[in-house]
Amino acid sequence: MKDMDNIPEVMRELGENARAAAAVLAFTPAEAKRLALEAAADAVWEKREEILAANGKDMETGREKGLTDAMLDRLRLDEARIEGIVAGLRAVAAQTDPVGQVIAEWDMPTGLNIRRVRTPLGVVGVIYESRPNVTADAGALCLKSGNAVILRGGSESFHSSGAIHACLVEGLRVAGLPEAAIQRVPTRDRAAVSEMLGMVEHIDVIVPRGGKGLVGLVQREARVPVFAHLEGICHIYVGADADPAMAVEVVLNAKTRRTGICGAMECLLIDSAFRARHGDAVVEALVAAGVEVRGAGALSAIEGVVEARPEDFGTEFLDMICAARIVDGVEEAVEHIRTYGSSHTEAIITADDAAAAYFFDRLDSAILMRNASTQFADGGEFGMGAEIGIATGKMHARGPVGAEQLTSFKYLVVGNGALRA
């Protein structure tokens, strides 16, 4: 690796190495990729004390920088979370290899047999902030899908990500795969991000995973195609026919389980008919749990609720804060979400099939749920083993981006001396 004083040269070398590795991964047997991921999982568990020590350095730096409790929670690792990283690596290893899968096949009257088959994208660049587990998730999913990856983690997680990356490289080594298949940008210098965004000769797609500032920067400045979501402004609508006990439990989980993730509920919509029947138990439960509820209209009169400002709607708090308002029917709930949502994840709590169908049909967020916490907006919970992010655009990938979404396709056409008339 070149001198860190020459960032463009460092990034050019990473890109060239990644492109060479991608050429090998495109035809790497599924068993070799599985072995690499299993070996990486073994290494993460064996080196957990080293990873925790590295994370301790990052946590100390984060506190010194004044990171919020929610941001520190994103950054923090413990043995249980390392177990989760290991389980994610093993889950991805066990999945069916998407590369070479036949998506469709047909015969033409001209005698041609045509197959549409999955193929890797090539080189993926992942730019992320404080969550060190993204190092393992992104590395594993890119490898599984036959892609080389260049990882650029945030400065907050520099040591943690480095320790996890070393385990992924050990897995590649065990399987005899190119170590450049999973590379990490070895500097905190933000100039490296700017370089990545313009590396059209070396990177096929950029995946930003972080807050509005990071994702907005990438979308504005990238010359490389981007899979992105700008914000996770997730709504829950408590419908007129919702079960009150279910509503309390789901809303509490959606807001308080982990406030700093993109699937956390940021806005609560309560049907006026539900409130007339069941009162304010849902809001009161949030207040009792320590959530600062910023309520509009009649909700602001509830003890402990803060009066909402207009800007509270459409805000991703990533903290123990949520906005709340009353709506008259599912139609008004849908209209509110269309106005203030970010096309990430929305949920309806209802026993009414017609209301649920309206909610699902009239909204076009990447993930729509019924009677379930928005915290399930996660590739691992979708059976993907892990995710590289939640894509809210409409081109190619939407929702949790797993190994399958990191592939494109090509056509394989076979004839028997076929001639076009």
Side-chain angles (χ1 to χ4, degrees):
M1 187 60 64
K2 304 297 183 184
D3 193 319
M4 285 299 115
D5 290 336
N6 191 343
I7 298 298
E9 179 64 14
V10 169
M11 298 308 296
R12 183 189 64 78
E13 184 174 334
L14 286 174
E16 290 178 351
N17 292 341
R19 185 61 76 194
V24 175
L25 293 178
F27 59 85
T28 292
E31 181 58 26
K33 291 184 280 186
R34 186 200 64 77
L35 175 60
L37 293 174
E38 288 285 1
D42 291 341
V44 168
W45 187 245
E46 290 167 4
K47 297 183 178 180
R48 60 190 180 279
E49 294 301 328
E50 296 175 31
I51 295 171
L52 289 173
N55 185 246
K57 293 180 183 178
D58 290 334
M59 290 292 290
E60 183 178 350
T61 301
R63 293 186 191 97
E64 291 171 355
K65 291 175 65 175
L67 295 184
T68 66
D69 288 345
M71 292 300 103
L72 287 171
D73 180 63
R74 280 178 173 239
L75 177 60
R76 181 177 61 86
L77 292 175
D78 54 25
E79 190 158 299
R81 290 187 178 179
I82 290 178
E83 284 181 346
I85 291 172
V86 171
L89 287 168
R90 297 199 192 284
V92 174
Q95 290 177 347
T96 301
D97 193 314
V99 179
Q101 286 182 356
V102 177
I103 303 170
E105 182 175 7
W106 63 96
D107 294 311
M108 295 297 294
T110 53
L112 298 180
N113 172 263
I114 303 174
R115 286 176 291 155
R116 186 187 301 133
V117 302
R118 293 197 184 280
T119 186
L121 295 174
V123 177
V124 180
V126 184
I127 302 171
Y128 53 105
E129 292 183 328
S130 58
R131 293 180 66 179
N133 65 292
V134 176
T135 304
D137 291 351
L141 290 169
C142 288
L143 179 63
K144 186 71 175 185
S145 53
N147 297 292
V149 62
I150 299 173
L151 303 167
R152 202 287 182 179
S155 59
E156 296 92 346
S157 62
F158 188 78
H159 296 99
S160 309
S161 295
I164 294 170
H165 173 255
C167 297
L168 298 176
V169 172
E170 185 170 325
L172 294 169
R173 198 177 297 124
V174 168
L177 297 179
E179 293 183 20
I182 304 174
Q183 297 180 95
R184 171 176 168 265
V185 176
T187 175
R188 288 187 171 102
D189 196 320
R190 292 191 176 184
V193 174
S194 296
E195 287 294 323
M196 285 183 73
L197 299 181
M199 290 172 62
V200 292
E201 294 181 359
H202 300 113
I203 297 177
D204 294 287
V205 66
I206 293 282
V207 182
R209 183 163 174 176
K212 183 176 181 179
L214 168 67
V215 179
L217 169 72
V218 171
Q219 290 179 319
R220 287 192 306 272
E221 299 188 6
R223 293 173 56 210
V224 180
V226 176
F227 291 166
H229 78 262
L230 192 58
E231 295 174 281
I233 305 172
C234 302
H235 295 76
I236 290 186
Y237 164 56
V238 178
D241 295 304
D243 176 271
M246 179 191 294
V248 169
E249 291 177 356
V250 170
V251 167
L252 278 176
N253 181 267
K255 179 70 252 185
T256 67
R257 175 188 166 271
R258 289 189 71 182
T259 59
I261 65 173
C262 62
M265 182 195 75
E266 303 291 18
C267 183
L268 172 65
L269 304 175
I270 300 176
D271 196 285
S272 57
F274 176 89
R275 185 170 186 253
R277 293 173 190 156
H278 304 293
D280 296 315
V282 178
V283 174
E284 290 167 349
L286 286 169
V287 172
V291 177
E292 180 182 308
V293 178
R294 298 180 181 179
L299 296 183
S300 64
I302 300 171
E303 185 176 355
V305 172
V306 177
E307 186 170 359
R309 302 165 298 178
E311 59 267 29
D312 290 326
F313 297 98
T315 293
E316 184 181 34
F317 298 106
L318 297 174
D319 206 343
M320 287 285 278
I321 305 169
C322 77
R325 62 164 290 202
I326 299 166
V327 293
D328 291 323
V330 66
E331 296 86 354
E332 189 173 343
V334 164
E335 188 59 34
H336 177 98
I337 294 169
R338 285 176 174 170
T339 302
Y340 295 102
S342 61
S343 299
H344 191 293
T345 301
E346 331 297 347
I348 179 173
I349 305 175
T350 185
D352 183 345
D353 291 343
Y358 184 95
F359 191 86
F360 280 10
D361 290 343
R362 304 302 174 93
L363 288 172
D364 193 34
S365 296
I367 303 171
L368 297 169
M369 299 181 173
R370 178 184 181 183
N371 297 337
S373 168
T374 56
Q375 298 254 344
F376 281 110
D378 177 271
E381 296 297 330
F382 277 36
M384 298 176 179
E387 69 177 37
I388 205 169
I390 303 283
T392 55
K394 296 187 180 181
M395 301 299 290
H396 187 76
R398 292 198 85 193
V401 179
E404 184 176 296
Q405 288 74 33
L406 292 172
T407 62
S408 182
F409 56 82
K410 59 186 176 184
Y411 291 95
L412 303 183
V413 183
V414 177
N416 186 23
L419 301 176
R420 183 170 177 178

